[in-house]
Every structure is written in C-alpha cells, then in structure tokens.
Amino acid sequence: MSEKFTSVEYGLEKIFEGAQDFLPLLGTDYVEFYVGNAKQSAHYYKTAFGYQSHAYKGLETGSRDQVSYVLKQDKIRLVLTTPLNSQSPINQHLAKHGDGVKVIALWVEDAKSAWEETTKRGAKSFMEPTIEKDEHGEVVRSGIYTYGETVHIFVERKNYNGIFLPGFVAWNSEYNPTPVGLKFIDHMVGNVGWGEMNQWVKWYEDVMGFENFLSFDDKQIHTEYSALMSKVMSNGNGRIKFPINEPAEGKKKSQIEEYLDFYEGSGVQHIAVATDNIIETVSQLKARGVEFLPPPPRAYYDAIPERLGEHMKIMNEDINELEKLSILVDADEDGYLLQIFTKPVEDRPTLFFEIIQRMGAKGFGAGNFKALFESIEREQALRGTL
Ligand code: FE2
C-alpha cells in the first residue's frame, strides 16, 4: 500500500507516551461484512454511500465457495462477502447474526509477531500466520477473536503490490457513482453483553496493549427510559479507537439490549467515518437515499452558541443548515465536532454508520448522547422494542 497515514489526518498526536507498543498498528486495513447477497449490498454501498468498485473474487477467479466485493473510498476499504453454497461456515454466522461486521482488519508491519504477541497474552486464535502469494508478491495474515464472533485480522502487506490481496482481481465496473467525501474510519464501536464491558476493556489492555482514554457511566449516558455505559479504547499511536458499550438498567429496554437481542450476541454497533465537509457529504447521502435519525428539537440548535462557547469563533457552519440536515454538534476543550447517525442499514436493528467531522475535538459527542438516544428511542418505539 503506497498511502501513508499521518497523525495529523487523525487529529491526534501520539497520545500515550507510556503505552507499550508490542503491537504497532499502522491503521485500519479493511472491514469485512458477511452479507446475504454481496452483489446487491455492493450496489447499495456504491449508490448510497459513494464507494468505488475496487477488487473482486468469485467463481470467475476460481473462488468456488465464497464471493467478495471490495469497495473503496479514500482510505476506507469495505469487503462484502457471501457464501456460494450451504456448506460454507459463513451461513451459520449469517443465520445467527444477519448481515454484519465479521472482520476488523488491522494493518501491521509484522503479522506473525502480532499473532504471537496477542495469543501469548490470552487471545483466542482465529487464523495462524498464513502467507498468501500471487504474481504481485505476498501478504501475511493472521487473526484473533475479539468480542462475540467478531475477529481482528492482522495484515502485513509490505511485500505486496497487487490490487488488494492475493486471489483478488481489479473490479472494473461501468457503474461508478461519485464519492461523497468519506475519508477514513475514525472509530468503530462494539456492543457487548450485560456486565462484560470491563472484561473487554481489560482484554484490549492486556492482549492488544490499548489504553482506556475516555469513560462514560450510566449517570452520564441516560434518558428517561434507558441507560448505557461506554469506555473508549485506543492503541498507542491513537489511530485505532474502539469504544465499547454495555447496557445499563433503565425503565425500558436500551438500544444496546435491542442490538444484542437482534444480533444475538456481541458485535459491531457502528462505524464512524470521517469527512472534512459534513454538510456536503450528508446532503449527498440524503439525496442518494441514506436514512438518518431525525433531528433533535429546535431547542437543541438554539443552545449551540452557549454550548460551544469559545469555539463559536472558529465555527464555519451555519446552524440553520445543520438543523436542516439534522447534524449534531459537540465541543470539548480542544475544539468542536459535527456528527450524524444513520438508521440501521439492515432490517435487523443492528449496525449503523456515523458521519463525523472533527474540528479539533477529540471526544465522541458525549454532549449529544441524550439527544441521540432520545431519537433512537423514538425509532425503537416504532419497532415495538423499547
Ligand atoms: Fe461514534
């Protein structure tokens, strides 16, 4: 891969000087979804989200049991995989969880060392270090399980110059909707079961060398009806951020419980993708049929100047425009951020996307949690799952 990730693009310098980096991570390599019909999902992500056709493997390339489409937008690579017969183990995953994220692949210098260092510290192996070769060189991959049936695959591609991975060919399509300005994955959030958050926080600390750099308890994240807890885990260079949520007791069922019921276990709740022009990106996504959570009440937008305080001076966006697009705003001591959340992108109320533009802020929109969860609860009520 020729592109280089820089910390400036992530808005973060090395935030943990003391972090032990036995697992240096260069960035997110790809995210793989298991889906019921990859051909149709690929069309959706191209048409609605502006991803570009990138690589393919399937019957035509000699892959007899599964097909994968690789889509790309700037630094983001999505892989959509579907089994081609009833014997594939992917079917059990699909029957249980529905469409969802199976693999969060991480780009490393040394996939063998990544596997050895993590399994030595207690990770359950998913894939021993494996060399894959073709005429473009070789890739080494290895993998470990994280929460639920989700896995991390470590990808070492320094000796490879093919399109994606050995076995894939370039996917040239005549249908190429324009990108919408999605740049890179800012963070990916996992939902885990009751009382399991701290166990997974410890797992990311012990096994992956991550640190917990922000925490929210149920007193901070609650509405009249429901509550949740969240801890944000980050690797040493700050490029990989995985918040982990668990449900908390409330009067009614929280969105995390709803997710766990429908995903039938722990899994990826949302993928936050960065843009540097959220108004333009969201306008295009809406025009292409992407559905977002409805806006909070007018009072939310009236209170923005007060909430932003000092940061209002650097704010370029028109508040009326933000309200029209139902974009949320939050601030911390370093700046502000703009964010918006899609509705779930499958029929099961499970995975959704966040679009985020950071203007200095390093947080995750804690000031929006209440407005956001009330909005989700209105959707839950319509689904009969509140
Ligand atoms: Fe998020």
Side-chain angles (χ1 to χ4, degrees), residues 260-303:
L260 296 169
D261 286 354
F262 280 91
Y263 197 71
E264 297 190 21
S266 304
V268 174
Q269 179 211 35
H270 76 265
I271 302 173
V273 288
T275 171
D276 50 24
N277 187 344
I278 198 167
I279 288 182
E280 181 58 28
T281 296
V282 172
S283 299
Q284 287 202 35
L285 291 170
K286 286 199 168 172
R288 292 161 180 230
V290 175
E291 295 180 308
F292 291 94
L293 290 173
R298 172 79 233 193
Y300 172 92
Y301 290 95
D302 290 339

Side-chain angles (χ1 to χ4, degrees), residues 187 189 243 270 272 339 341 354 364:
H187 60 275
V189 180
H270 76 265
Q339 63 185 168
F341 299 85
E354 172 182 349
F364 293 82

Side-chain angles (χ1 to χ4, degrees), residues 203-217:
W203 186 90
Y204 275 103
E205 285 170 350
D206 294 350
V207 171
M208 305 270 288
F210 280 38
E211 293 202 1
N212 172 211
F213 89 107
L214 273 177
S215 299
F216 307 99
D217 66 20

Side-chain angles (χ1 to χ4, degrees), residues 13-66:
E13 292 306 320
K14 187 168 170 58
I15 48 181
F16 306 119
E17 289 303 331
Q20 16 158 202
D21 234 350
F22 57 81
L23 182 62
L25 301 174
L26 303 169
T28 308
D29 196 283
Y30 64 88
V31 180
E32 182 171 17
F33 298 66
Y34 282 175
V35 297
N37 187 334
K39 181 177 234 174
Q40 291 189 4
S41 293
H43 188 74
Y44 171 73
Y45 282 106
K46 283 171 67 171
T47 304
F49 284 89
Y51 284 92
Q52 307 295 299
S53 303
H54 187 59
Y56 171 82
K57 78 171 182 184
L59 291 171
E60 300 83 349
T61 69
S63 174
R64 307 305 300 173
D65 56 352
Q66 66 181 69

